[in-house]
Amino acid sequence: MPLLRALLEGGLDDPEAIRIGGTAFSGPELLGAASVVADGIAERAQATAPVAVSATPTAETVVAVVGALLAGAPVVPVPPDSGVAERAHVLSDSGAATWFGDKPRDVALPCRRVDLSRRAGHEVREPPGDDTALIVYTSGTTGSPKGVLLSTAAMAAGLDGLADAWAWTAADTLAHGLPLFHVHGLVLGVFGSLRLGSRLVHTGRPTAENYARAVREHGGSLLFGVPTVWSRVAQDPASAAALTDARLLVSGSAPLPVPVFERIRELTGQAPVERYGMSETMISLSVRADGERRPGWVGVPVEGVEVRLRAVAESPDGESIVTDEDVPADGESIGELQVRGACLFDGYLNRPEATADTWTDDGWFRTGDAAVVDATGYHRIVGRRSVDLIKSGGYRIGAGEVETALLAYSGITEAAVVGEPDEDLGQRIVAHVVCPEGPVDAEAVMEFVGDRLSRHKRPREVVVVDALPRNAMGKVQKARLRRG
């Protein structure tokens, strides 16, 4: 079935079906405007070459993206605040032939603009499901950003899994204020509505007031946010009160701090649903709408997805390696999370070696994330295996577990834990914490964590910082914290 099924089948005929900022239109109006874009792309000498879209949170972005998909041209969403070097890499690596949106001076591509008033009415179709529809670039934490190749079939499969997990139907109104250059905001937050037929409200800026307005004025029932958004809501009781009328609050892209989870539950009467995914995998794990909601746990595999946790061991030369052994489902043992299913990506653009390195011999994608699973099948992500799996004093410790304990300490609002080289321990646990109300007693913090977890899991150093370095999706960039 097409990725844009509801749009192409005449759904979303409400004049307010799609609202982006101050612009609203129906599904047929979106389809007509996108068809004009598709016609223009089809007239190019390189009709199927990728299209770069300056992914501002506007109606023009949505029309450009949908138009490119209808024309069979892969879309390259470009962050509007990307720097010159990053932008040059993305455009060169992707082979984009056209730029949509306001064009920076350093972009030499032919530029097109979207005219929201124009319509075309001829029949348009999506390209075959196996074709690449989206090239989403990773954050580049381990080198230059890599282009993740996503087909319409993979994205459709992922969205259907979420429809099952979240009881997401055409009766919903999806509301969010997420960026449109990542899977969370664009695929889940736009394509989800265009496939399933639910109304869409993009709030523009992701403020607590805008989320409240989306519920009060537009009937928002399904709300997507990153932890930063939910933290803002937690600090605004008046806006949070409006969210009691929403059906489901979903948090993702980074771990949701336990105090924020509990505060949202207190203010809205419902706990957020947490989930886990990557650009390469769509959403693999989620708490179901009718499932138990535990802070810090991201639930069970969504429909059509299989996961497994493989044990991590140490090679003779001291390197961390992933074995062929499954970890016990005890909620404590840490393993690398591996995934397979119809919603996975088709590889990294122009990176055959990097693509091959991410797959096991028996066909599972190596996420590189470390996790635990309990006897009920619930998963908890403890961080990236490369930076968040710390070996200290002979123990393997997940940074996420320590961070959760730190956030329960009064006065700490944000925490990031890294392993630093240590001659005695191998690595020592260093906690970087944000304390808006003033410095905390480092020794007391260490003892607090040691009492809540185990002595060997306590930080050996506590560093108070004004803010943690984060990327556009709110994920902490731990490489910038490590000193050794």
Side-chain angles (χ1 to χ4, degrees):
M1 299 293 286
L3 173 64
L4 309 178
R5 179 179 60 199
L7 181 68
L8 295 178
E9 292 180 354
L12 297 163
D13 56 358
D14 183 335
E16 292 273 334
I18 300 119
R19 173 170 286 277
I20 314 290
T23 303
F25 36 69
S26 67
E29 288 173 328
L30 169 58
L31 188 58
S35 296
V36 174
V37 172
D39 287 346
I41 292 173
E43 293 170 356
R44 302 179 310 179
Q46 298 173 287
T48 59
V51 169
V53 177
S54 179
T56 55
T58 60
E60 286 82 357
T61 291
V62 174
V63 170
V65 169
V66 172
L69 293 182
L70 297 178
V75 176
V76 184
V78 182
D81 62 348
S82 57
V84 173
E86 177 186 354
R87 194 161 46 235
H89 168 74
V90 167
L91 296 181
S92 173
D93 187 66
S94 67
T98 307
W99 176 275
F100 274 88
D102 292 336
K103 190 171 75 166
R105 293 181 180 179
D106 54 282
V107 174
L109 297 176
C111 179
R112 293 177 182 254
R113 295 183 181 276
V114 172
D115 184 345
L116 296 178
S117 68
R118 296 185 62 197
R119 303 285 186 268
H122 72 274
E123 184 178 6
V124 290
R125 299 179 184 274
E126 282 186 17
D130 292 338
D131 288 0
T132 296
L134 208 60
I135 306 175
V136 181
Y137 278 81
T138 64
S139 58
T141 54
T142 57
S144 298
K146 299 188 290 290
V148 175
L149 303 176
L150 290 169
S151 68
T152 57
M155 290 186 283
L159 290 169
D160 288 349
L162 293 181
D164 172 74
W166 299 339
W168 183 1
T169 71
D172 279 305
T173 294
L174 169 61
H176 73 90
L178 301 172
L180 299 185
F181 46 86
H182 283 298
V183 166
H184 194 174
L186 181 57
V187 181
L188 277 61
V190 175
F191 296 166
S193 287
L194 301 184
R195 177 168 176 77
L196 301 173
S198 60
R199 296 171 69 207
L200 168 66
V201 176
H202 192 286
T203 66
R205 294 179 60 237
T207 64
E209 295 89 344
N210 284 347
Y211 271 54
R213 186 176 299 111
V215 176
R216 283 196 307 261
E217 298 180 8
H218 304 292
S221 61
L222 178 61
L223 273 59
F224 292 170
V226 297
T228 301
V229 172
W230 297 121
S231 178
R232 292 169 181 167
V233 171
Q235 296 169 28
D236 186 343
S239 294
L243 273 53
T244 58
D245 292 332
R247 182 178 67 81
L248 202 66
L249 313 178
V250 181
S251 181
S253 294
L256 182 66
V258 174
V260 175
F261 179 101
E262 298 293 359
R263 183 64 171 158
I264 292 295
R265 174 158 53 187
E266 176 187 345
L267 293 173
T268 68
Q270 64 170 307
V273 161
E274 297 187 68
R275 88 310 184 273
Y276 163 84
M278 304 174 65
S279 299
E280 293 90 337
T281 66
M282 294 284 291
I283 304 304
S284 310
L285 299 161
S286 181
V287 173
R288 296 180 61 85
D290 57 358
E292 179 188 0
R293 303 179 194 181
R294 311 178 202 162
W297 294 79
V298 294
V300 298
V302 302
E303 185 178 34
V305 173
E306 297 176 87
V307 302
R308 71 184 185 188
L309 295 183
R310 285 299 171 96
V312 178
E314 188 173 302
S315 69
D317 59 3
E319 293 295 318
S320 174
I321 59 172
V322 179
T323 72
D324 292 332
E325 300 291 328
D326 289 327
V327 303
D330 57 11
E332 292 288 340
S333 301
I334 298 173
E336 181 187 69
L337 180 65
Q338 299 180 357
V339 181
R340 69 180 178 186
C343 58
L344 268 66
F345 76 136
D346 291 323
Y348 297 112
L349 181 65
N350 304 323
R351 304 284 188 92
E353 292 184 0
T355 299
D357 287 344
T358 61
W359 295 91
T360 65
D361 292 338
D362 56 347
W364 292 76
F365 174 72
R366 298 184 176 103
T367 66
D369 283 323
V372 302
V373 61
D374 71 7
T376 70
Y378 261 52
H379 292 72
R380 179 165 55 84
I381 307 299
V382 301
R384 294 296 292 171
R385 188 172 67 83
S386 58
V387 297
D388 291 324
L389 191 56
I390 301 168
K391 186 174 181 183
S392 182
Y395 295 97
R396 295 191 183 279
I397 301 158
E401 182 180 25
V402 182
E403 289 161 358
T404 297
L406 287 164
L407 289 171
Y409 189 89
S410 178
I412 295 179
T413 59
E414 297 180 67
V417 168
V418 297
E420 298 282 6
D422 187 276
E423 292 184 0
D424 179 43
L425 298 170
Q427 285 183 303
R428 70 181 182 281
I429 300 172
V430 178
H432 297 258
V433 298
V434 177
C435 310
E437 298 178 1
V440 292
D441 184 324
E443 290 294 333
V445 171
M446 296 176 200
E447 290 302 310
F448 177 83
V449 174
D451 290 341
R452 290 180 68 90
L453 302 177
S454 301
R455 299 296 293 171
H456 64 269
K457 295 180 180 179
R458 71 189 188 282
R460 303 305 177 104
E461 183 180 354
V462 176
V463 181
V464 177
V465 296
D466 293 332
L468 299 176
R470 297 179 181 274
N471 64 17
M473 292 302 289
K475 295 182 180 179
V476 177
Q477 298 174 303
K478 291 192 175 182
R480 294 170 58 184
L481 294 174
R482 301 180 73 174
R483 296 166 296 184

